[in-house]
Amino acid sequence: MRCAIISDIHGNFDALERVIADAMSFGSLDAIWCLGDIVGYGPNPNECVRELRECEICGTAVYAVAGNHDRAATGKISIAEFNPDAATAARWTIKSLTPETRAYLDGLPVRLDGRAVPSLGDFTLVHGTPHDPVWDYMDSEAVALASLAEIGTAHCLVGHTHRAEYYALRPKGHSGQLPSSGHDDGYDDDGPASTQISVSAFDHGTIVDLEPDVRLIANPGSVGQPRDGLSSASYLLLETTDRGQTRLQARRVEYNIDDVQRKMREAGLPPRLIARLRHGR
Ligand code: ZN
């Protein structure tokens, strides 16, 4: 089983194409799990949706949840809470969608998990957090702990922050324990001292093996508008070996940023959104 976990494509078709090609360079791709914000900000919302649908036609199962920008593009949420540049881009996206793209986005659920869809295994998929899948940010250990307590699967996949990172909840003294910011949490029934949570960056090439007693919340970062200081498209490759070991590998992929910036200028999209693709911020 090989699966590309992608998020926050934001209408950046050039980046999406490169990411899918990179994932397929490892072998055939059984699935794409998309954590939302397929559209918004970028110049090719229709092409991004079409690419996902074509992957499906070619035999790659695509499971996608909606993000706040997908919901705004179909009028399901107001753009009043968007910052001015995001609102400008959202209005442009609303105007640009084909009926097919709008129908696809409109049909996306906000949450999927392996209890309802067995091929998702022990994962819950949301854009923001399980508590508020559309708006909340997975941005602290406290939110991560509350999220793990709320879901019915071992692991959770999120997007929305545009930062590739993962939270790991481990038993104390676990051999794979990371040296970063672990602290007592009081979450586990065995008492506050029995588990600890840590957050780590997913640098290019980072491999995390799934272990029975470690619960993960993984964020693949953003395909189309990274905000972690790197301009390259970010995603996760999930692979299960013949012996049943599942691992996540963080990937960064270069794409032609100049071409996307040119298309954004031609579309009249806000200059700040055009510039940030180069800075990754
Ligand atoms: Zn986003």
Side-chain angles (χ1 to χ4, degrees):
M1 152 83 168
R2 185 175 297 108
C3 168
I5 302 170
I6 61 176
S7 191
D8 296 277
I9 301 153
H10 284 295
N12 188 333
F13 175 68
D14 302 58
L16 176 62
E17 228 187 354
R18 296 303 311 146
V19 159
I20 291 175
D22 185 78
M24 287 183 168
S25 73
F26 289 85
S28 66
L29 204 52
D30 299 296
I32 294 173
W33 296 350
C34 175
L35 307 172
D37 279 4
I38 300 170
V39 306
Y41 295 134
N44 293 118
N46 297 308
E47 290 80 355
C48 289
V49 168
R50 194 180 310 139
E51 176 76 8
L52 294 179
R53 299 181 78 177
E54 276 171 11
C55 284
E56 234 164 357
I57 290 165
C58 295
T60 302
V62 177
Y63 291 100
V65 294
N68 51 318
H69 286 261
D70 305 317
R71 282 292 188 250
T74 59
K76 277 197 168 152
I77 61 170
S78 156
I79 57 173
E81 287 182 55
F82 280 31
N83 69 52
D85 283 343
T88 300
R91 279 190 289 271
W92 181 89
T93 301
I94 290 167
K95 269 196 334 222
S96 306
L97 294 189
T98 63
E100 293 75 26
T101 303
R102 189 173 296 110
Y104 180 89
L105 296 174
D106 220 19
L108 295 178
V110 294
R111 177 181 178 138
L112 287 169
D113 69 41
R115 289 180 308 175
V117 183
S119 64
L120 297 177
D122 218 354
F123 289 91
T124 295
L125 280 57
V126 291
H127 180 62
T129 69
H131 184 67
D132 184 342
V134 172
W135 280 113
D136 273 1
Y137 288 91
M138 187 69 67
D139 55 3
S140 71
E141 281 109 335
V143 176
L145 284 169
S147 299
L148 288 172
E150 195 174 323
I151 58 175
T153 59
H155 312 296
C156 189
L157 300 170
V158 302
H160 197 33
T161 67
H162 297 212
R163 287 200 307 268
E165 62 187 10
Y166 64 99
Y167 294 86
L169 181 68
R170 307 167 187 278
K172 272 217 164 152
H174 187 278
S175 57
Q177 191 172 298
L178 298 167
S180 54
S181 59
H183 63 74
D184 292 343
D185 51 68
Y187 156 73
D188 198 292
D189 285 339
D190 298 339
S194 62
T195 59
Q196 66 177 28
I197 193 157
S198 58
V199 58
S200 310
F202 262 136
D203 298 321
H204 177 67
T206 300
I207 286 176
V208 176
D209 283 315
L210 264 57
E211 299 173 76
D213 51 356
V214 179
R215 300 184 67 194
L216 297 177
I217 298 177
N219 187 326
S222 172
V223 170
Q225 195 203 73
R227 295 177 190 165
D228 48 10
L230 298 173
S231 58
S232 49
S234 183
Y235 80 101
L236 293 174
L237 191 69
L238 178 146
E239 291 179 290
T240 302
T241 65
D242 294 341
R243 287 184 299 167
Q245 176 62 51
T246 301
R247 56 174 38 178
L248 293 168
Q249 183 188 163
R251 305 280 306 161
R252 300 299 290 231
V253 184
E254 303 292 339
Y255 69 97
N256 195 326
I257 295 173
D258 290 339
D259 278 356
V260 178
Q261 289 181 315
R262 177 182 48 74
K263 286 190 271 185
M264 290 176 78
R265 269 192 298 276
E266 286 167 7
L269 287 160
R272 193 180 69 90
L273 298 180
I274 299 171
R276 74 185 308 176
L277 293 186
R278 179 63 65 196
H279 308 134
R281 295 212 181 273

